[in-house]
Amino acid sequence: KKNLKFAEYLNRKLNQDYKGLSRGIYKKQGQGVDGVYNQDINSKMILLELGGYQNTMSEVNNTIDLIASIIKEYIDSL
C-alpha cells in the first residue's frame, strides 16, 4: 500500500509538471493473477518502465532526469 501511494504521487506529479509524461499505473489483475511483483518485497520499491521502441535513448535519459527530480523532491519532503 505504501508503494502504491508513492506510485500514485509520482504519477500525479509527473502529469502535473509534465503533462502526458506518465501513462498511468497499471495493476495486473484478472482470474488467476495475484498482481504481486518484486516491488511488494519491500515498502520502498516500485517498478518504473521507461520509454519504448519508438523512443530514443536521449528521450529516455531526459525522462530519467525529470523523474529523479520529482523523487528527490518527495524524499526531501519526508
Side-chain angles (χ1 to χ4, degrees):
K1 291 182 181 185
K2 289 180 183 180
N3 292 340
L4 179 58
K5 183 177 176 182
F6 174 67
E8 289 169 342
Y9 166 84
L10 187 59
N11 178 63
R12 184 174 53 255
K13 186 71 172 156
L14 282 169
N15 282 323
Q16 175 186 326
D17 294 356
Y18 311 102
K19 187 175 175 125
L21 185 62
S22 175
R23 294 186 182 173
I25 300 168
Y26 294 91
K27 298 178 189 175
K28 193 169 182 183
Q29 53 192 342
Q31 185 175 3
V33 176
D34 66 8
V36 175
Y37 298 96
N38 289 342
Q39 67 265 29
D40 291 89
I41 293 172
N42 187 295
S43 65
K44 295 179 180 158
M45 286 175 98
I46 61 171
L47 171 66
L48 298 175
E49 295 186 18
L50 305 173
Y53 72 94
Q54 296 173 322
N55 294 104
T56 65
M57 284 305 298
S58 178
E59 290 171 328
V60 173
N61 286 330
N62 290 338
T63 300
I64 291 169
D65 290 341
L66 298 175
I67 291 171
S69 69
I70 291 174
I71 291 172
K72 181 186 182 314
E73 181 181 312
Y74 177 82
I75 291 170
D76 288 346
S77 74
L78 298 177

